[in-house]
Amino acid sequence: MFISTRGRYALRVMVDLAEHQSEGYIPLREVARRQGISEKYMESIVKLLVKARLLSGVRGKGGGYKLTQPPEGYTVEAILRLTEDSLAPVSCLEEGAAPCAQAAECRTLGLWQGLDRVVRSYLGSVTLADLMERGGGT
């Protein structure tokens, strides 16, 4: 599993918006400036988040983006699922993967399945509110 810059930046954008949620709609350029991320690159990330209804946006004067629910309602897993092709540790566990011909004899399949469960469980247990409180992982 490899988390791309798109996934990492999506988390940073979401945390930033969560930290400034009391300000209403936040212009993308403000988030980009605070996070040191190209506004153009952030546009493509925000587009995914809006399409999935994790964010809402308003155009024009006073416009910008804001969360559609409280920070406690967003898990890291849900955000990364939108931005990453896969969170699986090996290709045979990727969503939609063809059944592996070696699965019945594979001595390592259980290891990879266990790792996949641990990763998903952990990412599913961490919310934006948690990231706001502790500024990262445990």
Side-chain angles (χ1 to χ4, degrees):
M1 175 181 71
F2 177 82
I3 305 300
S4 68
T5 55
R6 186 170 58 174
R8 294 192 319 267
Y9 288 178
L11 287 172
R12 286 172 52 187
V13 167
M14 295 293 286
V15 170
D16 188 288
L17 290 172
E19 290 174 339
H20 293 90
Q21 63 187 333
S22 64
E23 300 169 29
Y25 287 95
I26 308 295
L28 195 59
R29 74 176 129 358
E30 286 183 25
V31 180
R33 180 185 46 77
R34 284 192 295 258
Q35 294 300 317
I37 301 171
S38 155
E39 188 174 345
K40 187 77 172 162
Y41 190 44
M42 278 185 54
E43 286 174 2
S44 66
I45 294 167
V46 167
K47 186 177 181 178
L48 284 172
L49 299 170
V50 168
K51 186 177 179 181
R53 297 191 173 129
L54 287 130
L55 298 179
S56 63
V58 172
R59 294 178 187 245
K61 186 175 172 91
Y65 296 92
K66 70 176 185 175
L67 303 179
T68 58
Q69 55 186 311
E72 298 81 14
Y74 298 92
T75 66
V76 170
E77 181 189 21
I79 296 164
L80 292 179
R81 278 181 173 270
L82 290 174
T83 59
E84 302 305 311
D85 292 331
S86 176
L87 296 176
V90 291
S91 61
C92 64
L93 295 180
E94 290 178 358
E95 196 170 309
C100 177
Q102 302 297 317
E105 298 84 33
C106 184
R107 299 278 192 211
T108 61
L109 181 57
L111 167 78
W112 302 128
Q113 289 170 330
L115 178 60
D116 190 46
R117 280 191 301 274
V118 168
V119 168
R120 288 179 188 276
S121 174
Y122 177 68
L123 294 177
S125 73
V126 180
T127 67
L128 285 184
D130 295 327
L131 295 178
M132 291 168 63
E133 286 178 20
R134 62 180 177 226
T138 54

